[in-house]
């Protein structure tokens, strides 16, 4: 019998009985959305977990990112410096708000935005810096923080992958003016769909709450432009139950991670990311870099039922809508990373045996490529 397919992830879901009981309570209460009791409870629990001066629960990570930029009231048409090595949402929110994305290169090792290249891209038109804690690896927050305060620019982080990432014991949301999280089904911590905005600065929490609810403060007052960013009670119920599962999921992902490191380290055709001292990453993704033949490995894995992903290829400036904004060769580290990275399946239930199967398939593809 053919082996079961293995995907990049498998959503972590709460025990059925507990969820059904929660749904029963929602039916009895009659409140299904619009910041109900479960929404409020989850917002508070996540604020305690993630930190930041204020925390606003949202219906997905993209809304949280939109809110992060919207609350800063950046001048129309101004430029936001960001990374092209990210998911489409990061760059699209800039454009959707009538701002212009300007791409900077990434760090050679950790693939996060390169502060030196950001500095080179700053002009009088720049209104904001938007870094991405890609794969849950923290950006160089010290250098970006220095640069932002020197140039008096707000600093926003996309932490869609960074739930629980800490740096020298500090939670990731404690850096920058605003940090957006995703609680999508594919994330280690999920509400099926969900997101959150953590902010540091006077008035930003209120502005985020206003943005989430069309700018409506009360029945007779609309304070600002906003959208529907609220999370339903059903999603909040899933989120509350899933909070109890994170620690065990991380423990199991560590087992998978150890197998990958054990089996794939020490070769010259593949490199793994070793994080610096002081970083505790979220364990969201497990990227490897395959110097040559990445695409061949991707296809060969697929043929054996293993669906790894090329996060993040293509780069944002290669999308039709941003084509021509960057010349070939201008951002060499981003181009290299996009050509080499393969994110391997990474979730607790994969277990040591699943990880062994994935690692064996990667090694067989690499050895095959060498022999050819
Ligand atoms: N910023 C960054 C840096 C992000 O990476 C993201 C999202 C965002 C912002 C925006 O956050 P959200 O608005 O999404 O909250 C997936 C996710 O949909 C997306 O949330 C995520 N990043 C991105 C990196 O990955 P796709 O297009 O790769 O998803 P898809 O449907 O191909 O799913 C991947 C695999 O996961 C499937 O092959 C099988 C498995 N899967 C997926 C789903 C949805 C399941 O087993 N069950 C499921 O229900 O975007």
């Amino acid at each position: 019998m053919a082996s079961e397919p293995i995907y990049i992830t498998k959503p972590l879901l709460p025990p059925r009985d507990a969820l059904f009981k929660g749904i029963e309570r929602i039916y009895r209460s009659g409140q299904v959305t619009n910041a109900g009791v479960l929404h409020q409870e989850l917002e508070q629990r996540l604020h305690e977990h993630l930190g930041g001066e204020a925390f606003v629960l949202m219906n997905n990570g993209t809304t949280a990112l939109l809110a992060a930029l919207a609350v800063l009231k950046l001048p129309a048409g101004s430029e936001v410096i960001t990374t092209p090595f990210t998911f489409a949402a990061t760059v699209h929110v800039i454009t959707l708000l009538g701002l212009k994305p300007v791409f900077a290169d990434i760090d050679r090792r950790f693939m996060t935005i390169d502060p030196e290249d950001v500095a080179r891209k700053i002009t009088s038109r720049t209104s904001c810096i938007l870094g991405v804690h890609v794969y849950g690896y923290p950006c160089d927050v010290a250098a970006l923080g220095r640069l932002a305060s020197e140039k008096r620019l707000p600093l926003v982080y996309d932490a869609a992958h960074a739930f629980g990432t800490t740096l020298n014991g500090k939670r990731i949301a404690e850096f920058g003016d605003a940090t957006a999280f995703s609680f999508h089904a594919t994330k280690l911590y999920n509400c099926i769909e969900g997101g959150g905005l953590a902010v540091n600065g006077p008035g930003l929490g209120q502005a985020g709450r206003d943005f989430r609810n069309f700018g409506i403060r009360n029945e007779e007052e609309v304070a600002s432009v906003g959208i529907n960013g609220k999370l339903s009670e059903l999603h909040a119920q899933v989120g509350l139950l899933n909070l109890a599962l994170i620690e065990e999921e991380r423990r199991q992902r560590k087992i998978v991670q150890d197998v990958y490191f054990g089996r794939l380290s020490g070769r010259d055709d593949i490199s793994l990311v070793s994080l610096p001292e002081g970083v505790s990453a979220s364990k969201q993704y497990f990227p490897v870099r395959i110097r040559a033949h990445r695409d061949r490995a991707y296809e060969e894995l697929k043929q054996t039922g293993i669906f790894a992903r090329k996060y993040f290829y293509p780069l944002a400036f290669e999308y039709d809508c941003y084509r021509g904004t960057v010349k070939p060769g201008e951002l060499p580290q981003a181009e290299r990373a996009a050509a080499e990275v393969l994110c391997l399946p990474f979730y607790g239930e994969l277990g040591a045996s699943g990880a062994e199967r994935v690692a064996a398939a990667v090694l067989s593809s690499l050895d095959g490529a060498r022999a050819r």
Side-chain angles (χ1 to χ4, degrees):
M1 198 180 79
S3 317
E4 285 285 304
I6 297 180
Y7 297 102
I8 176 100
T9 191
K10 186 165 183 183
L12 193 61
L13 292 173
R16 279 183 182 73
D17 286 1
L19 182 57
F20 292 162
K21 274 191 198 133
I23 292 173
E24 187 54 43
R25 280 193 297 272
I26 295 170
Y27 265 72
R28 277 204 301 271
S29 82
Q31 171 123 36
V32 295
T33 188
N34 286 7
V37 286
L38 300 175
H39 188 292
Q40 288 167 38
E41 186 186 341
L42 182 61
E43 186 166 71
Q44 194 191 329
R45 298 272 309 271
L46 286 170
H47 189 192
E48 284 160 13
H49 198 92
L50 295 170
E53 288 171 16
F55 180 82
V56 187
L57 186 62
M58 301 261 176
N59 54 9
N60 59 60
T62 307
T63 315
L65 263 176
L66 266 176
L69 292 177
V71 299
L72 296 170
K73 305 205 172 4
L74 309 175
S78 62
E79 295 179 352
V80 177
I81 302 178
T82 193
T83 166
F85 191 68
T86 185
F87 190 61
T90 317
V91 184
H92 289 340
V93 294
I94 299 174
T95 310
L96 284 168
L97 287 168
L99 305 163
K100 191 178 166 232
V102 169
F103 298 109
D105 208 357
I106 59 171
D107 180 80
R108 186 176 53 81
R109 287 177 304 163
F110 307 120
M111 295 172 274
T112 50
I113 198 164
D114 173 3
E116 285 181 15
D117 202 40
V118 173
R120 281 191 285 272
K121 301 278 154 63
I122 293 175
T123 69
S124 58
R125 295 181 298 279
T126 308
S127 63
C128 184
I129 301 168
L130 170 51
V132 179
H133 301 306
V134 71
Y135 309 131
Y137 305 159
C139 291
D140 185 346
V141 291
L144 290 169
R146 274 194 304 274
L147 185 62
S149 62
E150 193 186 299
K151 302 286 180 183
R152 295 179 185 280
L153 290 169
L155 182 53
V156 173
Y157 289 114
D158 178 341
H161 307 168
F163 187 96
T165 291
T166 60
L167 183 58
N168 299 321
K170 267 184 100 171
R171 290 172 292 181
I172 205 66
E174 293 174 44
F175 302 96
D177 299 283
T179 297
F181 292 92
S182 165
F183 312 137
H184 183 263
T186 53
K187 303 299 183 296
L188 183 144
Y189 170 73
N190 85 87
C191 305
I192 296 182
E193 290 276 358
L197 172 69
V199 286
N200 300 305
L204 294 179
Q206 182 62 52
R209 282 189 292 278
D210 289 344
F211 183 82
R212 176 177 69 191
N213 192 33
F214 320 97
I216 297 174
R217 286 262 173 91
N218 56 53
E219 283 183 36
E220 297 185 1
E221 189 191 357
V222 180
S224 55
V225 174
I227 58 172
N228 181 357
K230 293 166 276 117
L231 191 73
S232 84
E233 289 292 274
L234 278 173
H235 292 91
Q237 180 63 77
V238 171
L240 280 166
L241 293 169
N242 274 351
L243 279 173
L245 309 181
I246 308 169
E247 209 177 306
E248 174 61 14
E249 174 64 16
R250 279 225 176 80
R251 196 188 63 75
Q252 292 184 22
R253 285 188 188 205
K254 169 87 170 56
I255 294 170
V256 172
Q257 182 177 291
D258 288 348
V259 170
Y260 284 157
F261 267 101
R263 299 278 269 119
L264 302 174
S265 303
R267 295 177 61 110
D268 58 6
D269 49 1
I270 185 167
S271 56
L272 313 183
V273 182
S274 292
L275 293 170
E277 188 104 342
V279 172
S280 171
S282 55
K283 295 196 172 53
Q284 173 59 49
Y285 289 110
F286 193 94
V288 297
R289 294 184 65 157
I290 300 176
R291 277 188 240 298
H293 312 298
R294 187 273 313 265
D295 288 348
R296 191 203 306 257
Y298 167 80
E299 291 299 336
E300 288 181 354
L301 259 63
K302 233 191 214 182
Q303 282 156 23
T304 67
I306 297 170
F307 297 88
R309 294 298 288 261
K310 299 184 223 173
Y311 293 139
F312 289 100
Y313 169 86
L315 294 166
F317 59 78
E318 294 166 329
Y319 304 170
D320 286 347
C321 45
Y322 303 118
R323 207 179 288 286
T325 51
V326 171
K327 290 189 207 72
E330 208 177 302
L331 304 180
Q333 296 304 336
E335 286 179 30
R336 234 183 105 186
E340 294 181 355
V341 155
L342 194 61
C343 286
L344 302 183
F346 194 44
Y347 53 95
E349 211 187 299
L350 185 61
S353 61
E356 289 284 355
R357 182 180 148 199
V358 174
V362 171
L363 292 173
S364 148
S365 175
L366 294 178
D367 290 341
R370 256 187 194 164
R372 271 186 287 260

